[in-house]
Amino acid sequence: MKPKEEIWELRLYVAGNTAKSNAALTNLKKYCEEHLQGKYVIEVIDLLKQPQLAEGDQILAIPTLVKKVPEPIRKIIGDLSNEAKVLVGLNIRPVKKST
Amino acid sequence: MSTTRAKKKIVQPRKIEKSPTGISGLDEITEGGLPKGRPTLICGGAGCGKTLLSIEYIVRGILLYNEPGVIMVFEEKAEELAANVASLGFDLATLQQEKKVKIDYVHIDRSEIEETGEYDLDGLFIRLGYAIDSIGAKRVMLDTIENLFAGLQNEAIIRAELRRLLTWLKSKGVTAVITAEKGDGVLTRHGLEEYVSDCVILLDNRVSNQIATRLLRIVKYRGSLHGTNEYPFLIDEDGISVLPVTSLKLERNVSSERISTGIPSLDKMLGGKGFFRGSSILISGTAGTGKTSIAVHFANEAAKRKERCLYFAFEESPQQIIRNMRSININLNTHVESGLLQFHASRPTLNGLEMHLVAIHKKVKEFKPRVVVIDPITNLVSIGSVSEVKSMLIRLLDFLQQEQITVILTALTNSASYTEQTDEGVSSLVDAWMMVRDIEDNGERNRGMYIMKSRGMSHSNQVREFTISDAGLDLVDVFLGENGVLIGSARETQQLEEQKSLAVHSNAISRKDREIKRKETILHAKIASLREEFESLQEELNKTFVEDELRKDIIEKNRLQMTEKRHGIDNQKKKKQPTKL
């Protein structure tokens, strides 16, 4: 057991209400619920509304998921359809159904 | 009616709008600048000046045309970029504060990025769009956008997105410059030229004989005329200067003003007035024939006329020239101090031919001389082939004549093979060509000078002996003796000989004159005595004639008196008869 519970701070950058963004958000929520229950915060940033934020996180592709905490910073781009890749990217140990 | 309609149908082909770069020379080649509102691709190998060219486009756009610009870099960090161009006097930080420029540094770290599923590059679009809108940019620079290919894996998406990006930039109405690395056998490594079809500029940094030359070429420019050649360009403290060196037209103003060569006897050979202003003069000759001395005379004369003169020395240092010229009574130092004469000495191998040309251009533009001396052009062959040197000189002469600058070139010819052609093959280009030749005879060497050609003026066709003394240069008429042309000491001997015979001759003549004088006096005396004789004879004759007359009168009178005494009547009637008789 770790002394302190880690919180995953996740930021999802989208641009408007597109199919890809929606798919990404749905996928992300699903994985988090499954593997990080209660240990995550998701912030969705719509760049169409806040374009000035794109520079700070070096956003190029949409959608981009940025994991700021815990370190290291990782970015996952795309609609997050590949669960294994997302989990590796976010450094999440999948919760086994058996345990 | 029908004709007017037909006239209306002929629509003048609309010239595409251009966005001037402000880079000296580039606007001339592109006839006004880059296509406005369209993307331009700048490609080339590493270190050939792509980034600099695009930054100059942005910065000069701000400074000269007040068009804000966005710089999006994919390679260097914004601070590094600012530091790099600060050496050119571009203060990006201040411009950023003034909201004239916006620099966005796009960093892609492959190790940080995981790709899953579909995505697009809307983030980039939004960033760019935001940057453009925040300062109202008219110009955009993307350097080097191909780095996307290194950062992201899905090439298909990148290509699709790039295509979309370029269309989007067009719809935004900004003029974009996009740099790309040159690939093997293709213009860009990732085939960007497929997408950017309006204007493609290729930069090159070519090294031959260890000397590098930067070259620029416009590969294509849709909808516009443009220069098609490779143009050399220079990067120095003022940024890029491109040389549109071959002006395609042979049109220039000509002056019929004549300027003295500084050697009166040479002027005399040229119809007494010297060369035309703005003409090009070639002095060729073998080593040590005084080419430099003639050129210096010309420069000295120009300075005396209070005209500025620029002297490019490729062989001697200025101090050397000044010292050497003192020996022929020319003090160049005063002109250097008064600022009328400027020397520029450099080794030909200092840089490539094109760079020399660019350097000469710049100096001429700065100093604005009326006379330029290049001494000698021969040494330039050491850094290029004959044809290269020739093409460089053509462009140089072209430029100088456009500016109405008189140019003196000196060229060394090979003494072994005397040909009527200089090594550089420029003799046909110049307006006037003087040839100084060694004439070896009688155990001594003398200099002979010809004017091979001098366009547009009468000139002497004679060879003159050319002497260099403490007093300066002079041309002496050669002697055409029985054994041909006499020069040097032979000429002097001949001169003495002639003086001698002249004295003898004049002596003889004076003796004859005296003889004639004497004869004349005798004759005059004779004429006088004859005249007197004639006069006395005349008098004698007159005397008898008068006596006869008198006698006749008296006889007549006596007769009349006798008749009157005899008749005593009708005097009047009788009087008439004797008068009738």
Side-chain angles (χ1 to χ4, degrees), chain A residues 15 20 47-48 51-52 54-55 58-63 73-82 85-86, chain B residues 102 104-108 111-124 126-127 130 148 152:
Chain A
K20 270 177 279 193
L47 289 180
L48 288 186
Q52 70 278 13
E55 204 179 332
Q58 286 292 347
I59 303 304
L60 285 179
I62 293 290
I73 296 174
R74 292 302 298 260
K75 284 179 197 155
I76 301 167
I77 58 178
D79 59 11
L80 312 178
S81 51
N82 186 332
K85 263 196 171 174
V86 176
Chain B
K102 177 128 176 71
D104 191 352
Y105 163 58
V106 178
H107 170 78
I108 318 160
S111 66
E112 273 185 6
I113 294 174
E114 203 71 56
E115 292 176 35
T116 80
E118 286 285 304
Y119 58 90
D120 54 42
L121 296 181
D122 263 341
L124 185 70
I126 288 166
R127 274 167 82 168
Y130 173 68
L148 286 178
L152 302 171

